[in-house]
Amino acid sequence: MIKCHLSTLLGKNKLKISDVVRDTGINRSTVNRLFHETNNRIDFDTLEKLCLYLNCTVGELLELQKEDQD
């Protein structure tokens, strides 16, 4: 499973979803889905805009987590 740390990064930088939308031009519903981790894909263009805006790497924004198979 891929975990998105957008909510953590926004909190750390004291930013709101509306700030990201206004400053990057990314669609609000896209940012909302990433924030709430309800998305199932992300465009490279969106990924690049977020990383540049938040001054982070892809690895800081997205994390591959192993799923427990009980």
Side-chain angles (χ1 to χ4, degrees), residues 5 7-8 18 20 22 31 33 40 42-44 53 66:
H5 296 289
S7 60
T8 303
S18 58
V20 177
R22 180 189 64 238
V31 178
R33 286 192 308 268
N40 55 9
I42 183 170
D43 293 333
F44 285 152
Y53 180 68
K66 293 184 180 180

Side-chain angles (χ1 to χ4, degrees), residues 1-56:
M1 171 168 75
I2 305 272
K3 173 116 174 100
C4 182
H5 296 289
L6 182 61
S7 60
T8 303
L9 291 169
L10 291 185
K12 177 181 164 186
N13 292 300
K14 297 182 176 142
L15 294 168
K16 299 177 186 175
I17 290 174
S18 58
D19 297 325
V20 177
V21 170
R22 180 189 64 238
D23 296 340
T24 65
I26 300 171
N27 185 291
R28 184 176 190 88
S29 63
T30 300
V31 178
N32 270 327
R33 286 192 308 268
L34 289 167
F35 184 88
H36 295 290
E37 297 187 70
T38 58
N39 62 314
N40 55 9
R41 65 178 164 208
I42 183 170
D43 293 333
F44 285 152
D45 184 50
T46 301
L47 190 57
E48 179 182 9
K49 285 179 184 179
L50 285 172
C51 288
L52 291 172
Y53 180 68
L54 296 168
N55 193 30
C56 69

